[in-house]
């Protein structure tokens, strides 16, 4: 007979590892698999996350993965005029590097962060398999489902009550179940970023708006620890005839930061796709739920998805612990809908609201009007009085 | 003519950063994916929307048309 679990989780990013950790701590038997040999690599993320997001899900603020503390934001318009929101100045008593003061957030190394999260899950009792790829799933007559895996070339079938798809933006798990997962080309930004030496930063996440630099998206400069910085940008393919690489090169050589970037030396090249899109309408099927990027739990204005992966992961685990504690309970799609309802209430409704705000910006046909609108929206979003949680 | 001609992709691996953006945008059914987290390069794509090419941050995907009746 196939090995039996309460949960099998595909993908050990922030979402999957968090579902696993809370579910195992709540008494469920959990198998967490990831196809990679080194989690988080190659890096497809800038790693900015708020302190609040980590604390909320009980992740210790550990040097193992923290690259640098963050104290606020600087939002630039196309010409270089900036709105600075520095919490070291706004709330001196609370934020800073001195004793009794704290950072607003961190830039983390995703390789170390994802490994740390998996270790925490493992210590909570999760069985973890690397080099294990999810290939498919099939609900079975006993109300469970079979999950087909390949581990170091060996095909293995395991049986589980619920399969959790936490397989990121490239998610195949949702497709297995026939869910509508397609992203519109107008809502996926192609991103490229360089880790560089010789660029000064000051503990702020810098966001640069303007069609000239990043059509459909934005550019950024983040502190990366050890005196390094990250310069990156994302563009929407339908708004330009050039690649992200072309735009990044132009941004570095021609923007108002060209002097600042003059002596930069590239130490790493990274990239990825960032959805500036709405959450999936349906995030569950028979014996299956999706979490994190796989469910498109991503902030449609910033593209940030670590916070939402962590908090959505915790919420999914809490739902599943409750649901599976009833003996003989069904895991058919209709019964798992409760997960999505919980999610919408806690996070999703806000995300939909952000999505509508973002859509309004990009429906502006006139480029200068749109640029002004985007700059304003970004500045409002990061404002200390904004209704949305930071980063 | 409504049906697009199938295409087969070539990825310049030297410039590819394995970022997965091409897979993320691809409307193909599950499994049209290479072992390097890119769209598949070992079989033809009959949707041929070319969204994968347009999203690629390093512009490293190209395609050839596959003759109808399918050699290649
Ligand atoms: C360029 C860029 C910059 C970003 N910057 C930020 C930022 O600064 N702050 C922020 O909050 N967010 C940022 N994001 C978004 C953030 O990276 C994601 O939202 C986050 O990683 C989502 O976590 P996840 O756990 O859902 O998925 P992922 O982190 O993508 O994890 C998915 C895991 O599933 C595994 N997997 C996939 N398929 C299979 C399979 N078939 N079998 C087994 N394993 C599988 C993968 O190997 C991977 O480990 C950025 C994204 C990009 C592309
Ligand atoms: S052409 Fe379209 S369907 Fe075919 S691989 Fe590229 S994105 Fe996918
Ligand atoms: S989008 Fe381009 S760089 Fe990214 S994985 Fe696909 S081919 Fe490689």
């Amino acid at each position: 007979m196939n090995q039996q679990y309460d949960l099998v989780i595909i993908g050990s990013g922030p979402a999957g590892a968090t579902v696993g950790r809370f579910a195992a701590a709540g008494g469920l038997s959990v198998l967490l698999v990831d196809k990679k040999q080194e989690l988080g690599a190659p890096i497809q993320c800038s790693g900015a996350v708020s302190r609040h997001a980590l604390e909320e899900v009980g992740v210790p603020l550990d040097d193992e993965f923290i690259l640098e503390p963050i104290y606020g934001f600087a939002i630039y318009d196309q010409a270089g005029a900036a709105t600075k929101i520095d919490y070291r100045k706004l709330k001196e008593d609370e934020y800073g590097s001195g004793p009794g003061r704290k950072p607003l957030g961190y830039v983390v190394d995703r390789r170390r962060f994802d490994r740390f999260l998996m270790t925490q899950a493992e210590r909570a009792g999760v069985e973890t398999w690397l080099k294990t790829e999810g290939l498919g799933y099939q609900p079975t007559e006993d109300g469970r489902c079979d999950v087909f895996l390949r581990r170091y070339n060996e095909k293995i079938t395991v049986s589980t009550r619920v399969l959790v798809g936490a397989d990121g933006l490239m998610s195949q798990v949702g497709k297995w179940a026939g869910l509508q997962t397609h992203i519109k080309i107008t809502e996926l930004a192609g991103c490229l970023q360089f880790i560089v030496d010789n660029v000064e930063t000051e503990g702020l996440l810098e966001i640069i708006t303007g069609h000239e630099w990043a059509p459909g998206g934005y550019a950024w400069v983040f502190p990366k620890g050890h005196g390094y910085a990250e310069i990156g940008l994302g563009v929407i393919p339908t708004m330009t005839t050039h690649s992200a690489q072309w735009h990044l090169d132009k941004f570095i050589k021609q923007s108002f930061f060209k002097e600042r970037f003059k002596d930069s030396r590239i130490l790493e090249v990274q990239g990825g796709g960032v959805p500036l899109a709405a959450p999936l309408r349906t995030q569950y099927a028979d014996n299956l739920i999706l979490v994190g990027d796989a469910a498109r739990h991503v902030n449609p204005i910033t593209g940030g998805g670590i916070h939402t992966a962590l908090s959505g992961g915790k919420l999914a685990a809490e739902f599943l612990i409750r649901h599976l504690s009833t003996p003989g309970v069904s895991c058919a799609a209709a019964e798992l809908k409760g997960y999505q309802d919980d999610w919408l209430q806690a996070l999703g409704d806000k995300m939909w609201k952000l999505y509508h705000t973002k859509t309004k910006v990009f429906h502006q046909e006139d480029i200068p009007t749109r640029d002004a609108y985007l700059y304003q929206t970004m500045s409002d979003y990061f404002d200390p009085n904004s209704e949305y949680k930071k980063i | 003519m409504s049906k697009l001609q199938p295409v087969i992709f070539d990825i310049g691996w030297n410039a590819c950063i394995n970022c997965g953006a091409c897979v993320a945008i691809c409307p193909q059914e599950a499994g049209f994916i290479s072992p390097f987290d890119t769209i598949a390069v070992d079989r033809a794509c009959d949707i041929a929307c070319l969204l994968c090419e347009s999203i690629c941050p390093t512009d490293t995907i190209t395609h050839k048309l596959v003759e109808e009746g399918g050699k290649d």
Side-chain angles (χ1 to χ4, degrees):
Chain A
M1 189 159 88
N2 298 326
Q3 184 81 33
Q4 304 224 338
Y5 298 92
D6 292 320
L7 299 184
V8 171
I9 304 169
I10 302 212
S12 187
T18 305
V19 177
R21 173 164 56 95
F22 280 101
L28 300 182
S29 64
V30 184
L31 173 66
L32 173 63
V33 307
D34 201 290
K35 64 185 181 183
K36 289 192 175 162
Q37 69 220 43
E38 180 182 8
L39 293 178
I43 290 187
Q44 300 166 358
C45 180
S46 306
V49 61
S50 64
R51 178 169 51 84
H52 165 81
L54 300 175
E55 287 175 345
E56 193 182 61
V57 295
V59 175
L61 308 171
D62 200 296
D63 285 341
E64 182 175 339
F65 59 79
I66 290 175
L67 289 175
E68 190 158 339
I70 297 297
Y71 300 98
F73 312 92
I75 321 297
Y76 295 83
D77 72 7
Q78 183 161 302
T83 306
K84 285 200 185 181
I85 303 160
D86 189 338
Y87 281 78
R88 288 168 296 198
K89 295 184 182 137
L90 292 170
K91 297 185 180 175
E92 282 184 69
D93 301 340
E94 231 179 295
Y95 296 97
S97 48
R101 300 193 176 84
K102 289 175 176 173
L104 184 67
Y106 302 93
V107 170
V108 302
D109 180 334
R110 283 295 303 270
R111 285 167 292 222
R112 296 296 161 259
F113 185 58
D114 288 22
R115 187 182 70 185
F116 187 90
L117 295 179
M118 187 187 73
T119 306
Q120 294 241 307
E122 168 139 81
R123 287 178 183 165
V126 174
E127 196 174 332
T128 53
W129 294 358
L130 290 176
K131 289 306 270 178
T132 307
E133 186 181 4
L135 301 174
Y137 99 119
Q138 177 75 55
T140 46
E141 274 175 11
D142 55 1
R144 306 171 60 91
C145 69
D146 282 342
V147 184
F148 312 113
L149 305 170
R150 183 162 49 210
R151 185 184 193 198
Y152 290 105
N153 292 333
E154 185 192 353
K155 289 208 169 171
I156 301 174
T157 302
V158 295
S159 165
T160 183
R161 297 176 76 186
V162 177
L163 172 64
V164 179
D167 53 337
L169 191 65
M170 288 177 268
S171 180
Q172 303 284 302
V173 174
K175 291 186 176 186
W176 298 345
L179 295 178
Q180 172 48 262
T181 60
H182 189 55
I183 309 179
K184 289 187 233 160
I185 188 71
T186 49
E187 299 194 333
L188 186 68
C191 300
L192 194 72
Q193 62 202 34
F194 296 143
I195 309 297
V196 296
D197 198 12
N198 291 328
V199 172
E200 300 273 323
T201 55
E202 43 172 350
L204 302 177
L205 299 179
E206 300 175 56
I207 309 261
I208 300 93
T209 61
H211 187 84
E212 178 75 12
W213 311 125
Y218 62 85
W220 64 86
V221 183
F222 287 2
K224 275 296 195 183
H226 318 287
Y228 304 147
E230 176 180 297
I231 310 175
L233 57 69
V235 298
I236 295 289
T238 49
M239 296 178 81
T240 169
T241 52
H242 297 287
S243 67
Q245 186 177 17
W246 184 92
H247 284 280
L248 185 55
D249 187 61
K250 176 177 163 189
F251 176 63
I252 291 173
K253 292 194 180 128
Q254 297 177 25
S255 73
F256 50 85
F257 278 154
K258 62 175 185 273
E259 274 303 307
R260 180 184 182 199
F261 296 157
K262 181 166 58 66
D263 296 320
S264 62
R265 292 283 173 274
I266 296 171
L267 309 177
E268 270 186 55
V269 183
Q270 304 163 356
V274 169
L276 301 171
L280 292 193
R281 295 247 176 215
T282 309
Q283 311 172 0
Y284 56 90
D286 288 341
N287 304 89
L288 182 150
I289 64 164
L290 300 178
V291 292
D293 270 12
R296 225 171 301 133
H297 292 176
V298 182
N299 182 316
I301 289 198
T302 63
I306 300 176
H307 183 174
T308 42
L310 295 170
S311 45
K314 179 177 179 213
L315 187 144
E318 284 166 351
F319 170 83
L320 291 167
I321 293 165
R322 234 183 310 124
H323 188 74
L324 297 179
S325 68
T326 317
V329 74
S330 156
C331 292
E335 303 297 322
L336 298 182
K337 178 175 176 293
Y339 153 66
Q340 181 168 314
D341 295 341
D342 288 359
W343 182 83
L344 279 171
Q345 202 182 7
L347 295 156
D349 288 340
K350 262 196 183 149
M351 256 184 198
W352 272 103
K353 206 170 153 191
L354 279 174
Y355 174 70
H356 294 310
T357 306
K358 178 235 125 157
T359 312
K360 262 195 242 155
V361 173
F362 286 99
H363 276 171
Q364 297 288 337
E365 295 282 337
D366 179 57
I367 292 174
T369 315
R370 184 168 69 224
D371 279 353
Y373 203 170
L374 180 63
Y375 175 66
Q376 197 52 50
T377 304
M378 282 287 188
S379 304
D380 291 349
Y381 175 78
F382 288 111
D383 189 89
N385 301 316
S386 152
E387 64 176 303
Y388 306 106
K389 292 271 183 271
K390 302 304 175 306
I391 303 192
Chain B
M1 215 193 92
S2 63
K3 197 174 172 301
L4 292 165
Q5 206 174 332
V7 292
I8 187 142
F9 289 102
D10 183 34
I11 290 180
W13 298 110
N14 173 259
C16 172
I17 55 170
N18 308 106
C19 73
C22 49
V23 180
I25 199 65
C26 177
Q28 274 275 10
E29 58 186 58
F32 199 78
I33 173 168
S34 83
F36 306 105
D37 280 353
T38 69
I39 44 146
V41 289
D42 59 348
R43 61 207 117 113
C45 169
D46 52 8
I47 298 178
C49 64
L50 305 185
L51 294 178
C52 48
E53 287 189 15
S54 67
I55 193 81
C56 177
T58 59
D59 205 7
T60 195
I61 311 179
T62 52
H63 68 271
K64 280 188 310 212
L65 297 178
V66 178
E67 294 307 324
E68 215 77 62
K71 30 181 196 317
D72 209 311

